[in-house]
Amino acid sequence: EVQLVESGGGLVQAGGSLRLSCATSGFTFDDYAIGWWREAPGKEREGVSCIRSSDGSTYYEDSVKGRFTMSTNSAKNAIYLQMNSLKPEDTAVYFCIAAYGDDCIDPTFWGQGTQVTVSS
């Protein structure tokens, strides 16, 4: 059974930082791209970051480049998202995902989500 369990969300002031974690099980990073999506109030879900399964390269949505950093642990069973210089527009529910193949465009599995709220 595939599981993705996020933690680390919360309330933070603008300019602050949060680190999201996602514990994973039931699949291998060798076969799945892994990443983070978010859903802001009244908006569609959007991809935030992704690590490709083929070469481990990481890419980010334009609005978070330079502020967010995605990583994994050496055991390849956890995913992290370090979020710095947070803005009110980063307020959203954040989901870790796994997508079969090499890209995060069409996630196969979703975590339950963790709320991030950035106050101005």
Side-chain angles (χ1 to χ4, degrees), residues 5 11 14 21 24 26 29 42 53 67 71 73 77 82 96-97 99 101 104:
V5 181
L11 173 64
S21 299
T24 73
F29 289 5
S53 58
R67 301 188 297 122
S71 62
N73 64 349
N77 59 9
Q82 178 67 43
C96 66
I97 65 96
C104 295

Side-chain angles (χ1 to χ4, degrees), residues 58-80:
T58 308
Y59 63 88
Y60 299 91
E61 192 269 330
D62 285 345
S63 70
V64 308
K65 284 180 182 176
R67 301 188 297 122
F68 290 11
T69 303
M70 182 178 171
S71 62
T72 65
N73 64 349
S74 58
K76 292 189 176 182
N77 59 9
I79 306 168
Y80 307 101

